[in-house]
Each structure stands twice: as structure tokens, then as C-alpha cells.
Amino acid sequence: MVRIVDVREITLPISRYADPTIASGGLTTSLVAVVTDVMRSGAPVVGYGFASIGRFGQGGLIRERFAPRLIAAETLTTDTGDGLDPQRAWSAMMQGEKPGGHGERCVAVGTLDMAIWDAAAKIAGQPLYMHIAERMAAAAPPSRVRVYAGGGYRYPSDDLKRLADEIRYCTDLGITHAKIKIGVNVDEDMKRIEAAAAILGGPSHLAVDAMNLYGPGDAMRIARALAPLELMWFEDICDPLDFKTLASVAASYPHPIAAGEALFSRAEAKLLDNYGGLRPSQDILLFDATHSYGLTHYFEIVAEMVERGWPRSAFWPHGGHLFSLHVVAALGLGGAELNPLAFAPFQGTPPSLGIEDGFIELPQAPGIGFELHDEAYRAFRRLLD
């Protein structure tokens, strides 16, 4: 029988900027180590996970609610009896939980779920994307996936110069597309777009993220201003649940819209599809697998939306870290976000993963491969040392 015998958690500050002196709003994330009773080379197999980006740490929920249920589970063994079953682990965590009220518990569960999948793949001796594909009896996944650079936050001084430096750094890595933030006023936004697009080779290689700032009137005005640019996509236009405004923009904005980053369940995905006015032929779905109760529930979101007519190429998971690369490859999704400079210790990727023409190679180590990322692995080792 496979059991989880210990769960350890710490909360760390993370910044939107590579420069730690720039204030970043006190953002945090949770790191977890899930210790199994399976031994490899004289040591227990440990899975690592973290709470992705943007929702703050989840330590209280993890320690008081979900980790104890994992440890109390008598067995989490696969039906074949030779591995760790993430679905059984997920069911144990969600025991007694009522439908609805997704709030922050979805992130706490997703953090642990990431670590459980890491441990399951390590026990199987496979990179996570290969392990997922094998469990799903899917076609052999690709060994590299398409990526774009996330970031592009507004700098408190020398904004245009520092933004240009950031985009240039990304293109030097081999990245061909990027995303920047907008939302102050149209004139300033257009200057940022012009500065970034000039380095990327045109606006079609640039996405813009309004971070859910616009109300109905402003959303329509900025959409009209952006329409002639033919951007890669226009992201997070209004409040995540303001489906009326989103649908109004989608009815008149001719180019791709991206949404779903701040929706965390299959039920919310269905609401977006029913009332958001999005167009499966061109729009983008950004659901974060970690924030959506983990990969175990994200499978259901993808299946639901595909059944409703959405192509897998429409999915570009939010997050910008190693875990998302595995998810995209295993499920045959459109591509993944990378954060080359932001959100240490998870910024960038291991140097062993080459990037060329906007595609990145997948880690070949068992599990997610956090052990290949020096800074991230040092943070995780703090849980055990």
C-alpha cells in the first residue's frame, strides 16, 4: 500500500519584478513537500508543489484541513498496486467538502495535488508529462511545447526603457511572443504596446492583460482602440464574473480574447461558456491547473469544454512555471506561459531546457523536474532540511 506519511508547508514572498527593491504588493505563495512511504535509493519519495502565482499563500487551509485528510487515508495505491493514485488522494482531500464556495480552498487543494502528481511520476520513474499521457492512454506527447513570456508589469520609474529591456531579454532567450500589462489610460497603454511590439516584430506577437480592471464603458472604449492592432490576444478585460461586459466586448472585438484565469472550477468554466460570449474558433482559455483544485480537476474542465466545442489548442494555462509545461504537453494544449524574470524562486526554467523559435524542451527527470531548477529546489529543500 502507498501512503502519505507527512506533509510540510511554508509560505514565501514572491515578487512581480526581478528587482527585489520594487514593491510588489506583498504577494506570497505556499510550498509543500508530500512525503510518501515509498523508498527509492534509501530515501522516501517526496513530491513538491506550490500554489502557482497570484493568489497568496494557503498555509492555514493546507495545515488544518487538507493535509490531515491525506495523512489519515489508509491507502492511496493505484488499482494495479504499484503506484500512487492522485485521484484517490484528491478524493481524500475533498472528503466532506460541499459543492460551491471555491474561494481559496481550490488553491490549497491544487497545491497539494501538484506535489502528489510529482510524487506519483517519481514513483513510476517517469517525467510527469509522460506519466500523465500513459495514465490517460493518450498518444505519445511532444518533447517540447510552445511558450510565450509573461510579465510586463508597469515599472514605477523608467517604465518604457525597463519594459523594452525585459522584452529584449525574453527574445534573446528564444521566445517569440510576450504579454504585458495595460490599464492606466489609453495613451500610456499604447506607448507600452508600441515599445514591446517593436522588439517582438509586431503587435501580432504581443498579448495585453488588463488584469480585470475595466467596467462596461471603459472595456468597450479600450477594445475599440486596440482593434486595429490585431494583437495576439486581449486578456482579463473585466471582473471575472462580469459575463455581460465580456460578452459585449466579444460581440464587437474582432480578434482573440483570453479569459478564465480567475475562474477555478468546472462549474465556473461552464458559466463562462454559457454567458461570456466567447468564440471557440479564436478565443483563449487561461484556467490555471493549480488554482482549479489541481490537475485532477483540471482534467474535468478540459473535458467539459472540449465536449462543448472548444479545441484543445484554445487552452493556455496561466502560471508560467515548469508544472504547466507538463500539463500542456500531456493534454495536447495550445501552449504555456513562462515568467523569465518574475516570481522568484520560480522564475525562468532550468538552463538544460533549450528554447528555440518560441518552443521549449520538456524536462526528462522523473516528476516535474523542480530538482533541475536550482533556486526553486533550494526553496523546496527548506521544507526537509
Side-chain angles (χ1 to χ4, degrees):
M1 295 192 300
V2 177
R3 295 187 63 242
I4 290 171
V5 297
D6 194 12
V7 175
R8 303 184 186 185
E9 181 273 342
I10 57 174
T11 298
L12 289 183
I14 54 173
S15 174
R16 294 178 173 90
Y17 301 99
D19 181 351
T21 66
I22 301 176
S24 190
L27 193 61
T28 63
T29 192
S30 287
L31 280 64
V32 296
V34 168
V35 183
T36 73
D37 62 356
V38 177
M39 303 297 289
R40 292 285 187 272
S41 303
V45 174
V46 178
Y48 298 113
F50 83 109
S52 193
I53 303 299
R55 308 308 300 186
F56 292 95
Q58 305 295 317
L61 287 170
I62 290 169
R63 291 189 303 271
E64 298 172 12
R65 195 149 135 203
F66 298 108
R69 295 174 188 168
L70 278 176
I71 295 170
E74 292 185 1
T75 179
L76 300 172
T77 313
T78 58
D79 289 339
T80 56
D82 59 354
L84 173 61
D85 187 343
Q87 179 62 61
R88 282 201 169 112
W90 194 90
S91 297
M93 286 191 285
M94 291 296 289
Q95 187 174 12
E97 296 289 323
K98 295 181 179 180
H102 305 296
E104 297 284 284
R105 76 176 180 188
C106 49
V107 184
V109 172
T111 302
L112 291 164
D113 185 81
M114 183 194 295
I116 291 162
W117 277 100
D118 185 41
K122 287 173 177 173
I123 291 170
Q126 297 173 305
L128 178 59
Y129 74 101
M130 295 293 294
H131 185 62
I132 297 169
E134 184 176 289
R135 285 179 61 95
M136 297 179 64
S143 60
R144 63 179 199 153
V145 296
R146 189 179 174 192
V147 293
Y148 72 93
Y153 292 94
R154 190 174 302 277
Y155 292 93
S157 62
D158 299 324
D159 177 57
L160 294 181
K161 178 185 181 302
R162 297 178 84 164
L163 175 63
D165 290 343
E166 179 181 334
I167 300 298
R168 194 172 295 109
Y169 175 86
C170 295
T171 59
D172 288 346
L173 292 175
I175 297 172
T176 58
H177 294 68
K179 179 174 72 182
I180 64 171
K181 304 301 183 281
I182 62 171
V184 173
N185 60 64
V186 173
D187 290 340
E188 292 298 315
D189 291 340
M190 288 302 181
K191 290 176 183 177
R192 301 194 96 233
I193 290 170
E194 182 180 359
I199 297 166
L200 291 166
S204 65
H205 285 228
L206 181 67
V208 296
D209 178 359
M211 300 183 73
N212 307 114
L213 286 175
Y214 296 123
D218 288 338
M220 295 302 295
R221 280 192 289 274
I222 191 66
R224 285 192 292 269
L226 295 179
L229 301 179
E230 301 185 19
L231 294 163
M232 177 176 151
W233 67 61
F234 182 15
E235 175 176 327
D236 286 348
I237 298 169
C238 53
D239 184 277
L241 296 178
D242 186 358
F243 300 129
K244 183 177 180 180
T245 294
L246 183 62
S248 296
V249 174
S252 60
Y253 184 72
H255 308 300
I257 288 170
E261 172 187 327
L263 301 176
F264 306 132
S265 67
R266 179 179 180 179
E268 291 174 333
K270 290 165 65 175
L271 287 174
L272 175 65
D273 190 46
N274 287 339
Y275 302 111
L278 296 183
R279 305 148 295 185
S281 61
Q282 70 179 64
D283 291 330
I284 304 297
L285 300 173
L286 300 171
F287 310 113
D288 186 313
T290 308
H291 292 170
S292 302
Y293 291 97
L295 177 60
T296 303
H297 186 69
Y298 186 76
F299 289 147
E300 297 184 17
I301 294 176
V302 173
E304 175 74 38
M305 300 301 272
V306 168
E307 185 176 340
R308 287 166 167 258
W310 284 84
R312 288 179 178 265
S313 59
F315 290 83
W316 288 72
H318 168 266
H321 44 75
L322 278 174
F323 181 63
S324 296
L325 303 183
H326 290 277
V327 173
V328 168
L331 302 186
L333 308 182
E337 180 180 14
L338 284 182
N339 288 311
L341 293 172
F343 304 115
F346 298 101
Q347 81 286 10
T349 56
S352 59
L353 306 185
I355 304 175
E356 185 177 0
D357 295 329
F359 285 80
I360 188 170
E361 298 170 354
L362 273 292
Q364 296 306 305
I368 296 170
F370 285 127
E371 292 83 354
L372 305 176
H373 191 302
D374 290 343
E375 193 171 351
Y377 188 47
R378 279 197 298 271
F380 282 121
R381 288 299 307 180
R382 290 175 54 187
L383 292 161
L384 302 178
D385 292 342

